[in-house]
Amino acid sequence: MLNIILVGSGGFIGSIMRYLVGKGVHHLLRDTEFPYGTLCANILGCLLIGFLGGLGESRQLFSAEMRLFLFLGLLGGFTTFSSFGYDTFTLARDLEHTLALSNIFLQLGLGLSAVYIGHALSRWV
């Protein structure tokens, strides 16, 4: 039961953080069709999971319970892969094929790069 509470409470916090990041980005960029809020949340989440995962591996900083809270809960709620899928589907459905493909390549390319960079940064801390 504790594991469920840890994941759920982390997901609750992560989802609120994602909402706030998305709203902030869309407020800054006004009137854009491209889902930049989702992109920013995914890239930041990938950077954080790479960094924290690297720290966890190299320094054994996180207990099993903390990993559940941080990785599955908080970062799982914060990153928005399902939103990414729906945003891409909607763009393609609306015949915005260039934007749909751009979303796919940016989310995956920048996301994987951010995980790598975050993991590398953890080695220097």
Side-chain angles (χ1 to χ4, degrees), residues 18 21-23 25-26 32-43 78-107:
R18 176 175 61 86
V21 166
K23 284 293 183 190
V25 168
H26 284 293
T32 180
E33 292 181 31
F34 191 81
Y36 287 107
T38 302
L39 177 64
C40 288
N42 282 341
I43 301 311
F78 181 68
T79 57
T80 53
F81 200 76
S82 59
S83 295
F84 154 72
Y86 186 73
D87 289 342
T88 304
F89 168 79
T90 302
L91 289 169
R93 182 196 61 207
D94 294 344
L95 303 178
E96 297 287 350
H97 299 295
T98 301
L99 290 176
L101 288 173
S102 296
N103 195 35
I104 291 167
F105 289 113
L106 286 169
Q107 296 280 0

Side-chain angles (χ1 to χ4, degrees), residues 2-101:
L2 175 62
N3 291 349
I4 292 170
I5 292 170
L6 289 169
V7 172
S9 59
F12 175 76
I13 295 166
S15 294
I16 291 170
M17 290 170 42
R18 176 175 61 86
Y19 172 77
L20 294 173
V21 166
K23 284 293 183 190
V25 168
H26 284 293
H27 177 74
L28 289 173
L29 299 179
R30 297 180 196 141
D31 297 327
T32 180
E33 292 181 31
F34 191 81
Y36 287 107
T38 302
L39 177 64
C40 288
N42 282 341
I43 301 311
L44 181 57
C46 286
L47 181 67
L48 289 171
I49 204 165
F51 181 74
L52 293 173
L55 283 179
E57 289 173 14
S58 65
R59 300 184 185 177
Q60 282 69 43
L61 290 180
F62 306 116
S63 66
E65 291 81 11
M66 183 58 75
R67 290 183 66 81
L68 284 173
F69 175 79
L70 285 175
F71 292 94
L72 291 179
L74 191 122
L75 292 172
F78 181 68
T79 57
T80 53
F81 200 76
S82 59
S83 295
F84 154 72
Y86 186 73
D87 289 342
T88 304
F89 168 79
T90 302
L91 289 169
R93 182 196 61 207
D94 294 344
L95 303 178
E96 297 287 350
H97 299 295
T98 301
L99 290 176
L101 288 173

